Amino acid sequence: MSLPTRLALVATLVLAACTPGEPATAEPPAQSGPDSGRREVALFAGGCFWSTEANFERIPGVVSAVSGFAGGRVANPSYEQVVRGGTGHLEAVQVTYDPTRITYRQLVDRFWRTIDPTDPDGQFCDQGPSYATAVFATAAQRPVAEASRRAAAAVVGERRFVTPVRDAVRFWPAEAYHQDFARLNPVRYGGYSRFCGREARLRAVWG
């Protein structure tokens, strides 16, 4: 690959403004067994939704992970609207899972290990309001999410731990070209992963 081609590739990756994910350093154990047919939903904002989606899709018991937006004021926002700013939305992922195979607590525990909860301004090379992190929890989920947050904050340091647990809100799916981005675009996704240094930062935060 020529130098101009490499420079063009790096520029393309930077302009894409989404950071690929890597496997978490500490994955909670999923329960074995067949799909029960039961379904529950959880909602997470972990920076770039490509990364968050890819991380959750690796977990046994997760049925689907959909990239989209949550927490803002604009109905059915487009990607361009959200990244331009002013909508209040975060990039988020709606996770549908089988609760007999993996619990909500296990999902939240896993989520912390895939983000840098000490960064209030975004995640890794993705900086800006739409890349902030949060766990969106229903009234029933909140005590579990808060307990998980306390346990994670004890590892990192409560004063440094800025990712909040927020009230559940409506989720708006992103455009089709954002769905399953890591799986459908492995070369671009892999290049972005190397560019952003996500894995090294996760090791620095979590040990």
Side-chain angles (χ1 to χ4, degrees):
M1 181 184 296
S2 67
L3 179 58
T5 301
R6 288 182 180 179
L7 292 175
L9 174 59
V10 170
T12 300
L13 294 172
V14 173
L15 291 173
C18 247
T19 308
E22 297 293 341
T25 56
E27 182 174 330
Q31 299 177 14
S32 60
D35 188 337
S36 71
R38 292 178 57 191
R39 298 290 183 264
E40 293 184 10
V41 175
L43 184 59
F44 302 92
C48 172
F49 47 32
W50 297 345
S51 305
T52 309
E53 178 191 79
N55 283 319
F56 278 112
E57 285 181 337
R58 295 185 178 106
I59 304 176
V62 169
V63 178
S64 68
V66 178
S67 291
F69 313 101
R73 301 173 294 278
V74 177
N76 196 27
S78 69
Y79 177 73
E80 287 74 18
Q81 286 177 298
V82 173
V83 298
R84 189 164 56 240
T87 67
H89 282 294
L90 309 183
E91 291 199 10
V93 170
Q94 185 181 71
V95 178
T96 300
Y97 63 100
D98 180 347
T100 68
R101 300 189 65 209
I102 189 165
T103 66
Y104 179 69
R105 173 61 187 261
Q106 288 175 316
L107 289 174
V108 183
D109 287 348
R110 158 78 183 208
F111 171 70
W112 303 127
R113 298 310 199 275
T114 66
I115 65 168
D116 175 2
T118 71
D119 188 348
D121 300 318
Q123 287 292 286
F124 314 105
C125 66
D126 298 316
Q127 297 292 298
S130 64
Y131 299 112
T133 55
V135 175
F136 292 98
T138 65
Q141 291 170 340
R142 180 174 277 275
V144 178
E146 293 282 11
S148 175
R149 185 188 186 281
R150 287 192 297 271
V155 176
V156 174
E158 180 61 43
R159 291 185 179 181
R160 300 176 60 217
F161 201 102
V162 298
T163 302
V165 175
R166 295 174 54 176
D167 290 338
V169 292
R170 180 163 181 176
F171 172 78
W172 302 93
E175 295 86 343
Y177 67 88
H178 284 298
Q179 308 302 330
D180 294 311
F181 189 90
R183 179 174 60 82
L184 298 176
N185 301 272
V187 174
R188 183 177 177 187
Y189 188 79
Y192 217 3
S193 179
R194 292 187 294 273
F195 172 79
C196 283
R198 179 187 178 96
E199 186 176 4
R201 181 57 186 161
L202 289 176
R203 284 198 302 268
V205 172
W206 294 105

